[in-house]
Structure formats: C-alpha cells, structure tokens
Amino acid sequence: MAVVFVNRFAWPDHSATSQLLSDLAAGLAGRGMAVSLVASRLRYDDVAARLPRFERWGGVDIHRVRSSGFGRARLWGRALDYLSFYLSLPWTLWRVLRRGDVVVVKTDPPLVALVVAVLARLRGAVLVNWLQDVFPEVAIHLGQPRVPGVLAGPLRFLRNRALAQAAVNVAIGSRMAETLLGQGVEAARLRVIPNWAHEDAIVPMAATHSRLRAALGFGERFVVGYSGNLGRAHDIETLFDAATRLRDRDAIAFLVIGGGHGYQRLQARCAAAGLPNMRFLPYQPITDLADALAASDLHLVSLLPALEGLIVPSKFYGIAAAGRPVGFIGDPDGELARLIGAHDCGFSVAWGDGADLARQILASAADPAHGRAQGQRARDLLDANFSRAAAHARWHDLLLALAARGLAGG
C-alpha cells in the first residue's frame, strides 16, 4: 500500500498549498508510509523553473510531469498550463499507482480530480479529494480564470461527479463542509481536517529578537504585517485606506511580505501615493518564516466575503503559531471572524472599512500588553485545534483506514 498525492505544485515550491502538501507527505513518510507525489516541474512564482523529473526528498518519491510554463499573468497562458498538465498527468500516474493505493488529489489545477478519478478506478486505487477551494464558484466570484455563465452548470456537474466518486472528500473548514453538503456530497463521504502550522518550527518570539525587524530598522514602532500571497481573493483597498489614514503616525509601520497580483497593485499604489509607512519584501526563505512573522506586532488576513465557505485563509495558522494577534478583513460573520471573536485573539473589520481598520490598529498600538495576551490566546488555540501533530495524526488514521478498505477491495 502507498499514498500518492497529486497537485500541480510541490516541494520546493513555497506556495501555501504546496507547503502543506509537502509537509504532510514527509510527515506520513516519517510515520512509515510509502508516499509519492505527482506534480509539475514548475514553481508557483517562477515560470522559468524546471525542476527535476524525479527526486527523493524527505522519504517521499516526487514524480514531475512536463507542462507548459506560461504562468498566471494571462488567461490563455494559464489555460495552456492547465491543459498540458491534464494531458501529461495520466501516463505518470498510471505508472505510479497500484491496486489498493490511496490517491489524494488537491484542487490545482481545477477539476484535475476528474482525470485522477478515472485513473484511480482503472488501477483499483482509493480516491480522496482534498479541497483547498471549491471550483467553479471561486472562479466565478473572482473572474480568474473567467468562467462563462453557460459553463457554470456543466462545470458544477462535473465537479460533483468527482466528489461523488471519491471514498472521502476532505474539507478544510466547517463552512466549506456546509457548502459541499449543499452540493449533494454525502455526509458519510465528508471529513473536516483543517490546515495547520508547524508548531515546533514557528514559536512565539519577542519582536525585539527578530533579525528581520532589526535589519529593517523598525525599532520601537508598532508594525502591522501581511505575510504570504496577496491575490484576487484578498483585500488591498482597505489596507491602503488604513495606511493612508495613518501615514503621519510615525509610530506605526506596515510590512508586506509575499507576492501575487494584489501585492504588485498595492506596491504600485503606495509608491504613487508616496506612503512613507509601507515596506514591501518578497517571499522570505521558509527557514526564516518564524523570524519574519515575529517582525510584526499584528498580522492582517483578508478574504472576499463572497468566498466564505469556498476558501479558508491558511495564513491564520502561521500567525497563531507565532503568537501574534490577527486582524481579519472580510465578512464579520465569516468562519475566521467567528474564531477570532470566540477566542479573543484579535479583531475583525468589514471589507472596505479602512477607517475602522485604522482605528483598530491605533487601539492595538496603544495597548501592547493586550496584544501580547491576544497573541498568546492565538497560540493556545493553535496548540489545541490546529497543530501539525494533530492534523498529521488525523490524516494518518484516515489514510490507514482507507488503505485497509482498498486492499480488501471495499
């Protein structure tokens, strides 16, 4: 028996879904499972990258297939990247899969589960869908990739077919599970396993101990951070508005680390406005993640309200592991907003309300002791509910049970 994961990106790519996938794969290999990854030779943020066709890392066999590398800048290029991956995947997956294996497919590229479902059935493998988002609904709301209205129904039908063929569909949040139930997924085929952070690698650290913070010369300023992808699902207008309102507050600074469509737009707008309180850095090495998170006193997370139940922001877990309070921008009744409110580990503001965000930041800066207490509660919440150890154990138990079913022909 082996576990085979399928996703377009995997180690050493640093995108959030890739990091989670690679971490889980290596963790399961460390527990004695035979684990393989099937991915592309690309990296999320580097269209020129061509990773090796085969590599063994962390006890995991990584098989990489050819695909085009036009990147995400243009819709036609993205579509060709998707199509070439769909066409290249079957031959490699056919060679890797064996009867009784468990194949876990993620959601990049969209509807790749349809291809994997066919191969799983032909090879006698057990299919698991691991949903990081719900397509085509996400694309419809974001317009990327553009989904014509006439195709929305057929795409939902195909998606639901892939969900129905799986032994288990894993959602990463309770609101997402509700969405899937509403689409007709049987409760018996549904599990909720939230994403996680590595609680041993990311630990609470005093801001004064952060090498990055010292290098940037922030000193005693109150630093508001944003770390990770800043894409179309995330808010830049509210952040820009708040930073503009606070531009003359010398004691407050903003630090944005990452990349993405929104990152570039926000950087250009701040440069055009001459905002003195905004600093931008590219993605930092994974080995420096704990130090980078510790550089800020407060971290922001955002999600387009229409995407509640379709996406769960994974940034929250790393922030909580670092022991920092969280400022959420989005639906005040959303999944993350409810979590923050229930555990008093930060605050929430409505999407577009830059004035309220500025007020909340000023209040946090005025009471650093309260912020540190909120950060500790965030860490306690992570340890109790969203730790790497707990998530890996849930996945291990689920896959072990499915493997036994597969070997028995069930």
Side-chain angles (χ1 to χ4, degrees), residues 315-355:
K315 298 177 182 67
F316 170 76
Y317 306 110
I319 297 166
R324 292 297 187 267
V326 183
F328 176 66
I329 306 167
D331 181 355
D333 192 39
E335 183 159 349
L336 188 51
R338 292 177 185 175
L339 195 65
I340 291 170
H343 296 271
D344 188 18
C345 55
F347 62 81
S348 299
V349 300
W351 182 281
D353 196 343

Side-chain angles (χ1 to χ4, degrees), residues 140-331:
I140 291 170
H141 288 299
L142 296 180
Q144 292 289 329
R146 183 174 176 272
V147 176
V150 69
L151 292 180
L155 288 174
R156 285 195 184 95
F157 172 79
L158 292 172
R159 188 270 318 282
N160 290 342
R161 283 288 302 273
L163 297 177
Q165 291 180 48
V168 171
N169 298 286
V170 176
I172 58 174
S174 58
R175 291 279 299 263
M176 182 183 288
E178 292 169 8
T179 298
L180 297 177
L181 286 170
Q183 289 295 315
V185 176
E186 299 175 20
R189 295 176 183 264
L190 187 60
R191 301 287 188 280
V192 176
I193 303 179
N195 289 337
W196 62 89
H198 195 323
E199 65 274 13
D200 296 326
I202 304 175
V203 296
M205 178 192 308
T208 53
H209 293 169
S210 167
R211 299 184 304 275
L212 178 62
R213 183 184 177 105
L216 294 172
F218 283 131
E220 297 299 317
R221 301 174 79 185
F222 184 84
V223 181
V224 181
Y226 184 97
S227 179
N229 181 53
L230 186 55
R232 291 177 172 85
H234 309 124
D235 184 295
I236 68 166
E237 299 299 333
T238 310
L239 176 54
F240 178 78
D241 186 8
T244 302
R245 293 171 183 271
L246 299 172
R247 65 183 302 158
D248 296 324
R249 301 274 185 164
D250 293 336
I252 296 176
F254 292 82
L255 174 61
V256 181
I257 301 174
H261 175 75
Y263 177 96
Q264 297 168 355
R265 288 178 55 218
L266 180 62
Q267 189 175 30
R269 289 194 63 181
C270 291
L275 288 185
N277 53 354
M278 297 289 296
R279 298 288 295 272
F280 291 85
L281 292 177
Y283 284 106
Q284 301 298 291
I286 295 175
T287 52
D288 296 336
L289 180 58
D291 184 85
L293 290 172
S296 298
D297 302 286
L298 164 73
H299 279 272
L300 301 180
V301 178
S302 65
L303 181 66
L304 184 69
L307 298 181
E308 285 288 344
L310 306 177
I311 293 177
V312 180
S314 294
K315 298 177 182 67
F316 170 76
Y317 306 110
I319 297 166
R324 292 297 187 267
V326 183
F328 176 66
I329 306 167
D331 181 355

Side-chain angles (χ1 to χ4, degrees), residues 7-11 13 15 17-18 21 39-40 42-44 108:
N7 192 54
R8 198 157 59 107
F9 299 106
W11 186 89
D13 180 75
S15 60
T17 56
S18 171
L21 168 63
S40 74
L42 308 177
R43 297 183 67 152
Y44 182 80
D108 185 8

Side-chain angles (χ1 to χ4, degrees), residues 60-106:
V60 179
D61 290 337
I62 305 178
H63 305 265
R64 298 190 178 98
V65 305
R66 287 184 177 275
S67 64
S68 61
F70 293 102
R72 309 184 312 278
R74 291 179 174 84
L75 179 59
W76 64 265
R78 186 183 300 192
L80 287 175
D81 288 352
Y82 290 168
L83 178 61
S84 61
F85 185 78
Y86 296 141
L87 294 175
S88 298
L89 175 64
W91 170 242
T92 298
L93 190 57
W94 177 268
R95 290 189 296 108
V96 173
L97 274 183
R98 297 290 183 270
R99 183 173 184 82
D101 288 352
V102 180
V103 57
V104 182
V105 57
K106 298 191 80 174

